[in-house]
Amino acid sequence: MTAHSARMYDYYLGGKDWFEADRLLAERLLAEFPHIRTGARANRSFMHRATRTLAREQGVRQFLDIGTGIPTAPNLHQVAQAEAPEARVVYVDNDPLVIEYADALMRGTPEGGTTYLEADVRTHDLLADPHVTDTLDLTRPVALSLVALMHFMSDEDEPYEMVRRLLDPLAPGSFLVLSHTTADFDTVGGAEAVRSTYGNHGITVAPRTRAEVATFFDGLDLLDPGLVVGHRWRPDKKPTLPDEAISFYAGVARKPGGSR
Ligand SMILES: C[S@@+](CC[C@H](N)C(=O)[O-])C[C@H]1O[C@@H](n2cnc3c(N)ncnc32)[C@H](O)[C@@H]1O
C-alpha cells in the first residue's frame, strides 16, 4: 500500500478513510510543515463559500467538480443543493478509493442530480463523457470546480492548456473555481521539503507563485475580492491566521458573455 493524496487529505481533515501508509507520510509532512492541516481545512471552507456564493448570488445550478476527494460532509452537492435543490453536480476523481464512497456523493436531492465518474483529468475527455453530458446541460453555465487539484499537475502535464480545454466548451457565464498551493509565504523551506517528500513517494506537488496561479484565470472576470490567499476569499469571519498558515491562493471567475 502506498500513500495517496486523497487519503492523506482525509487524514489532514480529521477523517477516518486512510491507511497506515497515508498516516505515516502525512505525519512526516506535518512535521516538515505543521500548517498543512490548517491549510486543508481552510481550503475545504473556501470550497463551501465559493459554491454557496455561486448558487446563491450567481444563480449557478450546474457544477463539475474535478478532484473531489473522499467525501467529507458537507460535500459540494450538499452546499449547492441547500441553496438550490435542483442543482446538478458531477464529481470526478482518479482515485479508485473515492468511488467506494461514491454512494455518499450521490445521495443528493430528488429534484437535483448528482453523479460520480472515476477518470484522470489529464487524459480523459471529460466534457464528451456521457456521465457529464447526461447530467449537465453544457449549453447552460457550469461552475468548473478545480479545488486543490492543479498543484498535483507538473508543468509537463501542461496545466494551463488542461484548464483551457475544460473551459472552452463551457457556455458563456460559466465559472472557474480554483485553489492552488503556493510557496510564496514560505521563509523556512517547509514548502520545498513538502514538495520533495511527496515527490519521493511518487506524488507530484507543484506549488506556484501568485502570478502563475493568476494565469489559470486569463480571459476570465474574477469576482471580488480577486485572487487572494484562501482565507481572505469572502470569509465568514475576519481571518486571524497569518497567510503562511494557509499557503494557497483561491479565486472564482466568470467566463465573459451570456446573460446575468
Ligand atoms: C487535496 S484533494 C482535494 C479534494 C477537494 N477538491 C477539496 O478541495 O476538498 C485532491 C484530489 O484530486 C484528486 N486527483 C489528483 N490527481 C488527479 C487527476 N489527475 N485526475 C483526477 N483527480 C485527481 C486526488 O485523488 C484527490 O482526491
Side-chain angles (χ1 to χ4, degrees):
M1 173 61 62
T2 53
H4 191 282
S5 62
R7 297 188 303 261
M8 290 170 66
Y9 183 68
D10 183 66
Y11 181 80
Y12 298 141
L13 287 176
K16 52 181 177 28
D17 300 311
W18 39 267
F19 297 115
E20 185 60 7
D22 306 304
R23 187 188 70 78
L24 287 173
L25 183 54
E27 282 296 342
R28 201 165 140 194
L29 289 159
L30 282 164
E32 287 171 350
F33 194 70
H35 295 315
I36 289 184
R37 181 164 276 143
T38 310
R41 290 189 177 135
N43 175 68
R44 195 75 192 162
S45 168
F46 161 71
M47 182 275 278
H48 296 155
R49 298 194 305 279
T51 302
R52 193 175 306 123
T53 297
L54 291 183
R56 188 180 293 176
E57 294 175 20
Q58 303 288 331
V60 177
R61 295 293 177 263
Q62 308 195 95
F63 295 82
L64 175 58
D65 179 56
I66 308 177
T68 298
I70 293 166
T72 305
N75 295 293
L76 189 150
H77 73 281
Q78 290 159 323
V79 177
Q81 291 175 349
E83 297 295 326
E86 73 277 23
R88 309 182 75 77
V89 180
V90 177
Y91 289 119
V92 180
D93 203 289
N94 73 337
D95 183 351
L97 191 92
V98 176
I99 198 148
E100 291 180 25
Y101 300 95
D103 240 21
L105 292 177
M106 291 197 250
R107 248 178 268 135
T109 55
E111 51 283 56
T114 51
T115 187
Y116 177 80
L117 165 64
E118 184 185 326
D120 190 320
V121 67
R122 291 171 297 190
T123 50
H124 196 81
D125 187 0
L126 288 172
L127 294 177
D129 190 295
H131 283 88
V132 176
T133 53
D134 288 354
T135 305
L136 305 181
D137 174 359
L138 297 184
T139 67
R140 304 193 47 77
V142 172
L144 173 65
S145 175
L146 306 178
V147 178
L149 174 71
M150 296 313 291
H151 49 239
F152 292 113
M153 308 298 151
S154 65
D155 290 346
E156 291 70 47
D157 289 325
E158 302 190 326
Y160 300 114
E161 290 73 7
M162 202 184 293
V163 173
R164 228 19 64 198
R165 272 199 306 279
L166 289 164
L167 280 172
D168 277 349
L170 298 185
S174 289
F175 287 87
L176 172 64
V177 179
L178 184 142
S179 68
H180 195 299
T181 196
T182 186
D184 282 2
F185 308 100
D186 177 26
T187 50
V188 292
E192 176 50 31
V194 166
R195 196 195 60 71
S196 81
T197 303
Y198 265 117
N200 293 338
H201 289 78
I203 302 172
T204 297
V205 175
R208 293 190 167 90
T209 64
R210 186 178 186 284
E212 288 168 337
V213 177
T215 304
F216 286 109
F217 294 97
D218 278 357
L220 306 176
D221 301 326
L222 278 160
L223 299 190
D224 284 343
L227 180 64
V228 292
V229 181
H231 60 156
R232 300 187 185 285
W233 199 90
R234 303 193 184 197
D236 292 329
K237 52 181 195 287
K238 196 170 182 298
T240 50
L241 293 167
D243 288 346
E244 66 176 284
I246 306 301
S247 284
F248 70 89
Y249 288 112
V252 178
R254 183 178 186 278
K255 188 172 172 174
S259 56
R260 281 177 187 267

